[in-house]
């Protein structure tokens, strides 16, 4: 199986997290596409307005299977070695998922203000 992580290539936080994931995964499971690559995303009918709701994880073998926002972050976590243990524990704690979903939304909506915006779009070499 392989997955596409669609991220904001202009967001300092997003790029840092993608670079960490690149290191953890080593190009084994994930490929990365910046949301600014509209031409590439159009093959899956993903538009810039779709991307405004947060990062997207797309199953490369079944593109109709996709997760977005905090659900994408959770699914990425589950796919990493031993990640299910942490994601399942996080989901089992009452109220934690709801709080983290709200935090994700706030960070998503204010990411440039909080973390800054890159002067050029980061394109992974694992795309």
């Amino acid at each position: 199986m392989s997955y596409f992580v669609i991220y904001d290539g202009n967001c300092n936080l997003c790029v840092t997290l993608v670079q960490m994931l690149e290191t953890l995964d080593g190009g084994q499971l994930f490929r990365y596409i910046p949301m600014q690559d509209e031409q590439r995303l159009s093959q899956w009918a993903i538009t810039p307005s779709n991307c405004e709701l947060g990062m997207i994880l797309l199953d490369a073998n079944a593109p109709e299977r996709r997760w977005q926002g905090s659900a994408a972050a959770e699914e990425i976590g589950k796919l990493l070695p031993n990640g299910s243990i942490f994601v399942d524990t996080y989901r089992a704690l009452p109220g934690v998922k709801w709080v983290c979903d709200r935090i994700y939304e706030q960070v998503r909506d204010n990411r440039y203000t909080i973390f800054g915006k890159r002067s050029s779009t980061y394109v992974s070499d694992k795309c």
Side-chain angles (χ1 to χ4, degrees):
M1 282 201 145
S2 62
Y3 297 86
F4 292 109
V5 176
I6 301 166
Y7 65 97
D8 183 348
N10 293 337
C11 165
N12 284 327
L13 174 66
C14 308
V15 168
T16 299
L17 295 174
V18 163
Q19 291 170 335
M20 287 175 46
L21 191 54
E22 289 170 332
T23 301
L24 285 171
D25 178 55
Q28 298 298 309
L29 191 58
F30 300 107
R31 300 290 180 264
Y32 309 90
I33 305 170
M35 67 172 60
Q36 289 76 15
D37 190 345
E38 294 178 34
Q39 182 178 3
R40 191 142 179 235
L41 297 179
S42 68
Q43 67 185 303
W44 299 294
I46 297 173
T47 66
S49 61
N50 296 137
C51 294
E52 289 176 15
L53 297 175
M55 75 169 145
I56 299 171
L57 179 67
L58 183 72
D59 185 330
N61 300 316
E64 67 280 357
R65 285 178 25 113
R66 55 181 77 177
W67 300 262
Q68 188 157 22
S70 60
E74 291 172 21
E75 194 64 25
I76 290 168
K78 283 176 53 178
L79 292 166
L80 292 171
N82 299 315
S84 285
I85 296 167
F86 297 104
V87 173
D88 292 343
T89 301
Y90 151 84
R91 287 179 173 166
L93 297 171
V96 172
K97 179 172 173 27
W98 183 88
V99 169
C100 289
D101 286 348
R102 303 298 78 75
I103 292 170
Y104 180 92
E105 291 167 0
Q106 289 299 310
V107 170
R108 174 198 68 202
D109 295 344
N110 298 289
R111 63 189 179 274
Y112 296 140
T113 303
I114 299 169
F115 299 101
K117 186 174 182 178
R118 298 174 57 88
S119 59
S120 63
T121 301
Y122 173 77
V123 178
S124 171
D125 62 351
K126 292 175 176 54
C127 56

